[in-house]
Amino acid sequence: MTRRGLLLRRLRLAFGGGPALVSLVILTLVLLMAVFAPLLATADPTAIAPADRLSGLTIEHPLGTDAYGRDVYSRVLHGARVSLLVGAGAALVSVAVGLVIGVFAGYFRALDSVIMRTMDGIMAIPSILLAIALISLTGASLLTVLVAITIPEIPRVVRLVRSVILNVRSEAYVEAAITLGSPVRRILLRHMVPNTVAPLIVQGTFVFASAILTEATLSFLGAGLPTEIPSWGNIMSEGRSYFQLFPGLVLWPGLALALTLLSVNVLGDVLRDTLDPKMEKRT
Amino acid sequence: MLPYVLKRVLSAVPVMIIVAVVIFALLRLTPGDPAAILAGNDATGEQLAQIRESLGLDEPILVQLATWCKNIISGDLGVSLLSGVPVTKMIADRVGPTLALAVGTISVTILVAIPMGIVAAGRLGGYLDRIVMALSVLGFSVPIFVTGYVLIYFFSLKLGWLPVQGYRPPSEGLFPFLQRLVLPVLALSGVYIALVARITRSSIIEVLGEDYIRTARAKGATGRRILLRHALRNAAVPIVTIIGIGIASLITGVVVTESVFNLPGLGRLVVEAVLARDYPVIQGLILLFSFTYILINLVVDILYTVFDPRIRY
C-alpha cells in the first residue's frame, strides 16, 4: 500500500467512531457557530438594554441576559469567533516563528546554545504570567493579547523543530546533499523542513487549545481582551459577581469553552497517534 | 553524589540569570518611554520624573541591568508604585494562602493520581483504564475556573455543604481553614491529577515490558507485588519529573484558583497589581514564581539520584 493510502486508512480507523468522531462533530458545530454567529444570534451581542438586565431564562433570551441586559446566548455564539480566531492566530504565528528559529538553532550550531538558553529562560516563566506582564506593558487590544499569548508558545515549537532538524542532519540523504555541495537553502527547504510538517501539525493543534485556554484565562482574570469584545473569558469574568443568583452567566460560556478545549485535545491526541506513531506521548 | 549536586546547582544559575534578564528586558524593549508606560496616559510630568527616579530609568541601560541583578541577589525587589511598600514585604504578607493551596494540591495529587495511574496500567485496555484516561483528558481540558465554578455551584449553592469563597488563616481554627480550602484544592488538583496519572500509567506500562519484570513473574511474584515493588519503583523518575515540570501549570492554576475562590494569596496579588498597573509588583512576583519553578526542578533533579542510584552525570 502506498504511504498515502496507509495514512488515509489510519485516519479512517482513528475517526471510525468513539471519542474522535464526537470531538470532530463538536468542533464542527463550534466552527459553524463562529462562522454563522451573526445569523444564529437573536440579538446584537454588545447591545446594552438596562431594562432587561439579568432577565433569567425567557423565550426572547434563551440563556438570559447579563448585568447590562445583553443577550447571553448571542454573546456565547460570538465568543466562539473570538476563541477560534485567537487559537488559530496563535497556532499559525507560533508555528511559523518557531519553525524559523528552530531551523536556525538546529542547523547553524554556532547559534544553538544562545537560542536554546533564551528559550529555556522564556519557558521557565509561567506562560500566563509572561502574557500578563506583556499585556500590562502594552495595554490590552486584540493584537497585543494575541502577541502575548503567542510568545510563550514559541519555545515549545522551537525545541520540537530543532530536535527534528538535529535528527535529520545525520541522515544519509542530508549528508549526501551536503557533500554534493547543495546550497544551504535547498538542503533546508527540500530535505529538512518537510520532516517537521507532521509533528508541527500535531503541536499546532495543542498550541491552538493552549492559546484558547490562555486567552480565556487572561480575560477571566480581567487582564485579557478589552471588555467590549464578547469572548468566553470576558463573559465569565463579568458574570462572576452574579454567580450565586445567575450561575448560567458563568456556566454557559464555561461549558462552550470546556467542550471546545476537550474536542481539540482529543483530536490532537488522535492526530499524533495517526501521523506519527513514534512520537512521544504528550505529557 | 556531591559533585553531581554541585554541578546541577551551578547549571540552574544561568537559567535564573536569563530569566532575570528577560524580565528586565520586557519593560525596556516595549516600544515607548518606560516611565510613561508605567504611569499611564494621564500622568503629570512630576509623576513621570518620580517613576524614573524610583526605578533608575535615567541611568544607562547596562547600569540599570547591573543594579537590577545586584538587587535581586540582595533580596530587594523594589517598592510598589502605588503604596511604596517593599515588594518583598507584600509577598511575605500574602504567601500563606498560596502555600496552603499548593501543598494541599500536591498532596491530594500524589494520593489520588499515582494510585489511579497504577490501577490503569495494571488493567491496560480495560474499563478502569479507559475511565482513568478519559478523566485525564477531561482534567486537562476543563479550565480551572470552569471546574471551580461547577464545584461551587454543586457543593456550596445546591448542597450548602461548604462556604462559597474566602479564606481563614489556620490560626483562627483548623476547621474553618480546611473547610475553605477543600474546593480550591479540588479545583486546582484536576489538571495536576490528569498530568501525573497519565505519566504514572505510561511509565509503568513501559517498565512492565522490561526483562526484570518477566524474571519476577517467572519467580512467581504476585501481580500486586510486581506493580508496587518492581514497576512503581522504577517508574518513579518520570513521575517525580512531571511533578516538578507540572509546577509551572500549578503556578498558573494558583493565580486562577485564588481569583475564583477569593483567596488573598500571591495569585490574587498578581491580578490586583495588573489591574492597578503596579509594574514593580508584577515583575517581582513573576521573578519569584519563575525562580520557584527553577529551584523546585533543581530539587527534583537531585532527588533522581535518591530514587534511581544508577543516574550519574
PDB file of all heavy atoms in Angstrom, chain B residues 279-306:
ATOM      1  N   TYR B 279       3.642  47.917  38.163  1.00  0.00           N
ATOM      2  CA  TYR B 279       4.582  47.045  37.485  1.00  0.00           C
ATOM      3  C   TYR B 279       5.661  46.418  38.373  1.00  0.00           C
ATOM      4  O   TYR B 279       5.951  45.233  38.221  1.00  0.00           O
ATOM      5  CB  TYR B 279       5.218  47.737  36.273  1.00  0.00           C
ATOM      6  CG  TYR B 279       5.905  46.744  35.373  1.00  0.00           C
ATOM      7  CD1 TYR B 279       5.163  45.874  34.586  1.00  0.00           C
ATOM      8  CD2 TYR B 279       7.285  46.613  35.359  1.00  0.00           C
ATOM      9  CE1 TYR B 279       5.766  44.920  33.804  1.00  0.00           C
ATOM     10  CE2 TYR B 279       7.899  45.657  34.566  1.00  0.00           C
ATOM     11  CZ  TYR B 279       7.138  44.823  33.794  1.00  0.00           C
ATOM     12  OH  TYR B 279       7.739  43.865  33.016  1.00  0.00           O
ATOM     13  N   PRO B 280       6.263  47.177  39.303  1.00  0.00           N
ATOM     14  CA  PRO B 280       7.290  46.530  40.147  1.00  0.00           C
ATOM     15  C   PRO B 280       6.756  45.292  40.873  1.00  0.00           C
ATOM     16  O   PRO B 280       7.481  44.306  41.037  1.00  0.00           O
ATOM     17  CB  PRO B 280       7.656  47.630  41.153  1.00  0.00           C
ATOM     18  CG  PRO B 280       7.337  48.892  40.459  1.00  0.00           C
ATOM     19  CD  PRO B 280       6.151  48.607  39.588  1.00  0.00           C
ATOM     20  N   VAL B 281       5.493  45.321  41.288  1.00  0.00           N
ATOM     21  CA  VAL B 281       4.910  44.159  41.974  1.00  0.00           C
ATOM     22  C   VAL B 281       4.763  42.993  40.992  1.00  0.00           C
ATOM     23  O   VAL B 281       5.123  41.849  41.306  1.00  0.00           O
ATOM     24  CB  VAL B 281       3.545  44.524  42.598  1.00  0.00           C
ATOM     25  CG1 VAL B 281       2.945  43.318  43.297  1.00  0.00           C
ATOM     26  CG2 VAL B 281       3.712  45.679  43.565  1.00  0.00           C
ATOM     27  N   ILE B 282       4.240  43.277  39.784  1.00  0.00           N
ATOM     28  CA  ILE B 282       4.091  42.229  38.765  1.00  0.00           C
ATOM     29  C   ILE B 282       5.441  41.581  38.490  1.00  0.00           C
ATOM     30  O   ILE B 282       5.595  40.367  38.522  1.00  0.00           O
ATOM     31  CB  ILE B 282       3.549  42.831  37.450  1.00  0.00           C
ATOM     32  CG1 ILE B 282       2.236  43.572  37.680  1.00  0.00           C
ATOM     33  CG2 ILE B 282       3.373  41.753  36.396  1.00  0.00           C
ATOM     34  CD1 ILE B 282       1.704  44.262  36.441  1.00  0.00           C
ATOM     35  N   GLN B 283       6.427  42.453  38.240  1.00  0.00           N
ATOM     36  CA  GLN B 283       7.763  41.999  37.901  1.00  0.00           C
ATOM     37  C   GLN B 283       8.361  41.142  39.021  1.00  0.00           C
ATOM     38  O   GLN B 283       8.892  40.060  38.774  1.00  0.00           O
ATOM     39  CB  GLN B 283       8.577  43.269  37.670  1.00  0.00           C
ATOM     40  CG  GLN B 283      10.011  43.124  37.394  1.00  0.00           C
ATOM     41  CD  GLN B 283      10.608  44.512  37.154  1.00  0.00           C
ATOM     42  OE1 GLN B 283      10.658  45.018  36.059  1.00  0.00           O
ATOM     43  NE2 GLN B 283      11.042  45.144  38.239  1.00  0.00           N
ATOM     44  N   GLY B 284       8.201  41.594  40.249  1.00  0.00           N
ATOM     45  CA  GLY B 284       8.755  40.864  41.388  1.00  0.00           C
ATOM     46  C   GLY B 284       8.113  39.496  41.540  1.00  0.00           C
ATOM     47  O   GLY B 284       8.792  38.498  41.797  1.00  0.00           O
ATOM     48  N   LEU B 285       6.785  39.452  41.357  1.00  0.00           N
ATOM     49  CA  LEU B 285       6.089  38.178  41.516  1.00  0.00           C
ATOM     50  C   LEU B 285       6.456  37.200  40.407  1.00  0.00           C
ATOM     51  O   LEU B 285       6.619  36.006  40.653  1.00  0.00           O
ATOM     52  CB  LEU B 285       4.577  38.412  41.538  1.00  0.00           C
ATOM     53  CG  LEU B 285       4.064  38.952  42.868  1.00  0.00           C
ATOM     54  CD1 LEU B 285       2.661  39.491  42.728  1.00  0.00           C
ATOM     55  CD2 LEU B 285       4.102  37.860  43.921  1.00  0.00           C
ATOM     56  N   ILE B 286       6.588  37.713  39.182  1.00  0.00           N
ATOM     57  CA  ILE B 286       6.967  36.820  38.081  1.00  0.00           C
ATOM     58  C   ILE B 286       8.346  36.238  38.343  1.00  0.00           C
ATOM     59  O   ILE B 286       8.584  35.041  38.167  1.00  0.00           O
ATOM     60  CB  ILE B 286       6.933  37.577  36.735  1.00  0.00           C
ATOM     61  CG1 ILE B 286       5.495  37.952  36.417  1.00  0.00           C
ATOM     62  CG2 ILE B 286       7.515  36.737  35.623  1.00  0.00           C
ATOM     63  CD1 ILE B 286       5.335  38.714  35.144  1.00  0.00           C
ATOM     64  N   LEU B 287       9.232  37.089  38.824  1.00  0.00           N
ATOM     65  CA  LEU B 287      10.575  36.617  39.157  1.00  0.00           C
ATOM     66  C   LEU B 287      10.505  35.549  40.241  1.00  0.00           C
ATOM     67  O   LEU B 287      11.110  34.482  40.139  1.00  0.00           O
ATOM     68  CB  LEU B 287      11.422  37.797  39.640  1.00  0.00           C
ATOM     69  CG  LEU B 287      12.905  37.514  39.704  1.00  0.00           C
ATOM     70  CD1 LEU B 287      13.504  37.575  38.318  1.00  0.00           C
ATOM     71  CD2 LEU B 287      13.601  38.487  40.618  1.00  0.00           C
ATOM     72  N   LEU B 288       9.723  35.814  41.272  1.00  0.00           N
ATOM     73  CA  LEU B 288       9.582  34.862  42.372  1.00  0.00           C
ATOM     74  C   LEU B 288       9.046  33.522  41.882  1.00  0.00           C
ATOM     75  O   LEU B 288       9.597  32.465  42.177  1.00  0.00           O
ATOM     76  CB  LEU B 288       8.651  35.437  43.442  1.00  0.00           C
ATOM     77  CG  LEU B 288       8.317  34.478  44.586  1.00  0.00           C
ATOM     78  CD1 LEU B 288       9.458  34.434  45.583  1.00  0.00           C
ATOM     79  CD2 LEU B 288       7.026  34.870  45.282  1.00  0.00           C
ATOM     80  N   PHE B 289       7.954  33.578  41.089  1.00  0.00           N
ATOM     81  CA  PHE B 289       7.344  32.341  40.593  1.00  0.00           C
ATOM     82  C   PHE B 289       8.314  31.572  39.696  1.00  0.00           C
ATOM     83  O   PHE B 289       8.432  30.357  39.783  1.00  0.00           O
ATOM     84  CB  PHE B 289       6.048  32.646  39.827  1.00  0.00           C
ATOM     85  CG  PHE B 289       4.864  32.882  40.729  1.00  0.00           C
ATOM     86  CD1 PHE B 289       4.053  33.994  40.557  1.00  0.00           C
ATOM     87  CD2 PHE B 289       4.555  31.988  41.739  1.00  0.00           C
ATOM     88  CE1 PHE B 289       2.946  34.215  41.384  1.00  0.00           C
ATOM     89  CE2 PHE B 289       3.448  32.192  42.555  1.00  0.00           C
ATOM     90  CZ  PHE B 289       2.648  33.308  42.386  1.00  0.00           C
ATOM     91  N   SER B 290       9.018  32.285  38.814  1.00  0.00           N
ATOM     92  CA  SER B 290       9.933  31.609  37.903  1.00  0.00           C
ATOM     93  C   SER B 290      11.081  30.962  38.666  1.00  0.00           C
ATOM     94  O   SER B 290      11.466  29.834  38.386  1.00  0.00           O
ATOM     95  CB  SER B 290      10.494  32.593  36.873  1.00  0.00           C
ATOM     96  OG  SER B 290       9.457  33.294  36.266  1.00  0.00           O
ATOM     97  N   PHE B 291      11.627  31.687  39.626  1.00  0.00           N
ATOM     98  CA  PHE B 291      12.728  31.130  40.422  1.00  0.00           C
ATOM     99  C   PHE B 291      12.242  29.921  41.223  1.00  0.00           C
ATOM    100  O   PHE B 291      12.956  28.933  41.349  1.00  0.00           O
ATOM    101  CB  PHE B 291      13.315  32.194  41.355  1.00  0.00           C
ATOM    102  CG  PHE B 291      14.308  33.094  40.670  1.00  0.00           C
ATOM    103  CD1 PHE B 291      14.346  33.172  39.287  1.00  0.00           C
ATOM    104  CD2 PHE B 291      15.215  33.847  41.386  1.00  0.00           C
ATOM    105  CE1 PHE B 291      15.255  34.003  38.636  1.00  0.00           C
ATOM    106  CE2 PHE B 291      16.133  34.683  40.750  1.00  0.00           C
ATOM    107  CZ  PHE B 291      16.149  34.758  39.377  1.00  0.00           C
ATOM    108  N   THR B 292      11.028  29.999  41.756  1.00  0.00           N
ATOM    109  CA  THR B 292      10.473  28.859  42.480  1.00  0.00           C
ATOM    110  C   THR B 292      10.434  27.642  41.569  1.00  0.00           C
ATOM    111  O   THR B 292      10.836  26.539  41.956  1.00  0.00           O
ATOM    112  CB  THR B 292       9.037  29.168  42.947  1.00  0.00           C
ATOM    113  OG1 THR B 292       9.053  30.424  43.613  1.00  0.00           O
ATOM    114  CG2 THR B 292       8.516  28.098  43.878  1.00  0.00           C
ATOM    115  N   TYR B 293       9.956  27.878  40.345  1.00  0.00           N
ATOM    116  CA  TYR B 293       9.859  26.793  39.364  1.00  0.00           C
ATOM    117  C   TYR B 293      11.232  26.182  39.108  1.00  0.00           C
ATOM    118  O   TYR B 293      11.412  24.966  39.150  1.00  0.00           O
ATOM    119  CB  TYR B 293       9.258  27.358  38.080  1.00  0.00           C
ATOM    120  CG  TYR B 293       9.235  26.402  36.923  1.00  0.00           C
ATOM    121  CD1 TYR B 293       8.412  25.290  36.940  1.00  0.00           C
ATOM    122  CD2 TYR B 293      10.032  26.622  35.807  1.00  0.00           C
ATOM    123  CE1 TYR B 293       8.384  24.412  35.876  1.00  0.00           C
ATOM    124  CE2 TYR B 293      10.016  25.752  34.737  1.00  0.00           C
ATOM    125  CZ  TYR B 293       9.192  24.653  34.775  1.00  0.00           C
ATOM    126  OH  TYR B 293       9.174  23.784  33.716  1.00  0.00           O
ATOM    127  N   ILE B 294      12.230  27.048  38.866  1.00  0.00           N
ATOM    128  CA  ILE B 294      13.577  26.550  38.576  1.00  0.00           C
ATOM    129  C   ILE B 294      14.133  25.780  39.779  1.00  0.00           C
ATOM    130  O   ILE B 294      14.687  24.689  39.634  1.00  0.00           O
ATOM    131  CB  ILE B 294      14.518  27.722  38.214  1.00  0.00           C
ATOM    132  CG1 ILE B 294      14.021  28.396  36.936  1.00  0.00           C
ATOM    133  CG2 ILE B 294      15.949  27.239  38.053  1.00  0.00           C
ATOM    134  CD1 ILE B 294      14.725  29.690  36.619  1.00  0.00           C
ATOM    135  N   LEU B 295      13.944  26.320  40.985  1.00  0.00           N
ATOM    136  CA  LEU B 295      14.507  25.684  42.173  1.00  0.00           C
ATOM    137  C   LEU B 295      13.833  24.343  42.461  1.00  0.00           C
ATOM    138  O   LEU B 295      14.499  23.374  42.825  1.00  0.00           O
ATOM    139  CB  LEU B 295      14.375  26.616  43.385  1.00  0.00           C
ATOM    140  CG  LEU B 295      15.319  27.824  43.317  1.00  0.00           C
ATOM    141  CD1 LEU B 295      15.111  28.743  44.502  1.00  0.00           C
ATOM    142  CD2 LEU B 295      16.770  27.358  43.243  1.00  0.00           C
ATOM    143  N   ILE B 296      12.500  24.280  42.287  1.00  0.00           N
ATOM    144  CA  ILE B 296      11.818  23.008  42.526  1.00  0.00           C
ATOM    145  C   ILE B 296      12.316  21.953  41.551  1.00  0.00           C
ATOM    146  O   ILE B 296      12.565  20.810  41.925  1.00  0.00           O
ATOM    147  CB  ILE B 296      10.291  23.184  42.420  1.00  0.00           C
ATOM    148  CG1 ILE B 296       9.806  23.961  43.639  1.00  0.00           C
ATOM    149  CG2 ILE B 296       9.585  21.832  42.356  1.00  0.00           C
ATOM    150  CD1 ILE B 296       8.338  24.226  43.662  1.00  0.00           C
ATOM    151  N   ASN B 297      12.527  22.350  40.303  1.00  0.00           N
ATOM    152  CA  ASN B 297      13.036  21.386  39.333  1.00  0.00           C
ATOM    153  C   ASN B 297      14.477  20.976  39.628  1.00  0.00           C
ATOM    154  O   ASN B 297      14.881  19.855  39.331  1.00  0.00           O
ATOM    155  CB  ASN B 297      12.882  21.918  37.915  1.00  0.00           C
ATOM    156  CG  ASN B 297      11.471  21.699  37.417  1.00  0.00           C
ATOM    157  OD1 ASN B 297      11.061  20.569  37.195  1.00  0.00           O
ATOM    158  ND2 ASN B 297      10.697  22.763  37.322  1.00  0.00           N
ATOM    159  N   LEU B 298      15.213  21.894  40.248  1.00  0.00           N
ATOM    160  CA  LEU B 298      16.561  21.561  40.697  1.00  0.00           C
ATOM    161  C   LEU B 298      16.496  20.475  41.768  1.00  0.00           C
ATOM    162  O   LEU B 298      17.200  19.463  41.710  1.00  0.00           O
ATOM    163  CB  LEU B 298      17.212  22.831  41.254  1.00  0.00           C
ATOM    164  CG  LEU B 298      18.588  22.697  41.872  1.00  0.00           C
ATOM    165  CD1 LEU B 298      19.572  22.258  40.814  1.00  0.00           C
ATOM    166  CD2 LEU B 298      19.021  24.015  42.477  1.00  0.00           C
ATOM    167  N   VAL B 299      15.607  20.669  42.735  1.00  0.00           N
ATOM    168  CA  VAL B 299      15.437  19.678  43.805  1.00  0.00           C
ATOM    169  C   VAL B 299      15.015  18.341  43.209  1.00  0.00           C
ATOM    170  O   VAL B 299      15.519  17.280  43.588  1.00  0.00           O
ATOM    171  CB  VAL B 299      14.399  20.170  44.832  1.00  0.00           C
ATOM    172  CG1 VAL B 299      14.100  19.080  45.852  1.00  0.00           C
ATOM    173  CG2 VAL B 299      14.892  21.431  45.522  1.00  0.00           C
ATOM    174  N   VAL B 300      14.078  18.399  42.244  1.00  0.00           N
ATOM    175  CA  VAL B 300      13.608  17.179  41.599  1.00  0.00           C
ATOM    176  C   VAL B 300      14.769  16.425  40.939  1.00  0.00           C
ATOM    177  O   VAL B 300      14.926  15.223  41.112  1.00  0.00           O
ATOM    178  CB  VAL B 300      12.532  17.519  40.548  1.00  0.00           C
ATOM    179  CG1 VAL B 300      12.323  16.366  39.593  1.00  0.00           C
ATOM    180  CG2 VAL B 300      11.224  17.876  41.241  1.00  0.00           C
ATOM    181  N   ASP B 301      15.609  17.176  40.220  1.00  0.00           N
ATOM    182  CA  ASP B 301      16.751  16.548  39.555  1.00  0.00           C
ATOM    183  C   ASP B 301      17.668  15.870  40.556  1.00  0.00           C
ATOM    184  O   ASP B 301      18.222  14.810  40.301  1.00  0.00           O
ATOM    185  CB  ASP B 301      17.554  17.600  38.786  1.00  0.00           C
ATOM    186  CG  ASP B 301      16.987  17.805  37.399  1.00  0.00           C
ATOM    187  OD1 ASP B 301      15.904  17.261  37.138  1.00  0.00           O
ATOM    188  OD2 ASP B 301      17.638  18.486  36.593  1.00  0.00           O
ATOM    189  N   ILE B 302      17.834  16.530  41.706  1.00  0.00           N
ATOM    190  CA  ILE B 302      18.715  15.954  42.718  1.00  0.00           C
ATOM    191  C   ILE B 302      18.065  14.720  43.345  1.00  0.00           C
ATOM    192  O   ILE B 302      18.729  13.740  43.663  1.00  0.00           O
ATOM    193  CB  ILE B 302      19.074  17.022  43.775  1.00  0.00           C
ATOM    194  CG1 ILE B 302      19.929  18.104  43.105  1.00  0.00           C
ATOM    195  CG2 ILE B 302      19.822  16.414  44.936  1.00  0.00           C
ATOM    196  CD1 ILE B 302      20.189  19.304  43.947  1.00  0.00           C
ATOM    197  N   LEU B 303      16.731  14.757  43.452  1.00  0.00           N
ATOM    198  CA  LEU B 303      16.008  13.615  44.011  1.00  0.00           C
ATOM    199  C   LEU B 303      16.161  12.355  43.148  1.00  0.00           C
ATOM    200  O   LEU B 303      16.075  11.245  43.656  1.00  0.00           O
ATOM    201  CB  LEU B 303      14.524  13.937  44.149  1.00  0.00           C
ATOM    202  CG  LEU B 303      14.083  14.670  45.413  1.00  0.00           C
ATOM    203  CD1 LEU B 303      12.587  14.896  45.385  1.00  0.00           C
ATOM    204  CD2 LEU B 303      14.468  13.876  46.646  1.00  0.00           C
ATOM    205  N   TYR B 304      16.383  12.565  41.840  1.00  0.00           N
ATOM    206  CA  TYR B 304      16.580  11.405  40.951  1.00  0.00           C
ATOM    207  C   TYR B 304      17.555  10.414  41.539  1.00  0.00           C
ATOM    208  O   TYR B 304      17.334   9.218  41.524  1.00  0.00           O
ATOM    209  CB  TYR B 304      17.196  11.842  39.621  1.00  0.00           C
ATOM    210  CG  TYR B 304      16.298  12.514  38.672  1.00  0.00           C
ATOM    211  CD1 TYR B 304      16.814  13.062  37.517  1.00  0.00           C
ATOM    212  CD2 TYR B 304      14.943  12.617  38.917  1.00  0.00           C
ATOM    213  CE1 TYR B 304      16.018  13.691  36.613  1.00  0.00           C
ATOM    214  CE2 TYR B 304      14.134  13.257  38.016  1.00  0.00           C
ATOM    215  CZ  TYR B 304      14.674  13.789  36.868  1.00  0.00           C
ATOM    216  OH  TYR B 304      13.886  14.425  35.967  1.00  0.00           O
ATOM    217  N   THR B 305      18.669  10.960  42.013  1.00  0.00           N
ATOM    218  CA  THR B 305      19.747  10.077  42.479  1.00  0.00           C
ATOM    219  C   THR B 305      19.288   9.264  43.680  1.00  0.00           C
ATOM    220  O   THR B 305      19.802   8.196  43.942  1.00  0.00           O
ATOM    221  CB  THR B 305      20.986  10.897  42.863  1.00  0.00           C
ATOM    222  OG1 THR B 305      20.560  11.943  43.717  1.00  0.00           O
ATOM    223  CG2 THR B 305      21.645  11.460  41.638  1.00  0.00           C
ATOM    224  N   VAL B 306      18.298   9.792  44.423  1.00  0.00           N
ATOM    225  CA  VAL B 306      17.769   9.026  45.544  1.00  0.00           C
ATOM    226  C   VAL B 306      16.903   7.886  45.029  1.00  0.00           C
ATOM    227  O   VAL B 306      17.003   6.750  45.472  1.00  0.00           O
ATOM    228  CB  VAL B 306      16.936   9.946  46.473  1.00  0.00           C
ATOM    229  CG1 VAL B 306      16.361   9.130  47.626  1.00  0.00           C
ATOM    230  CG2 VAL B 306      17.793  11.091  46.978  1.00  0.00           C
TER     231      VAL B 306
END
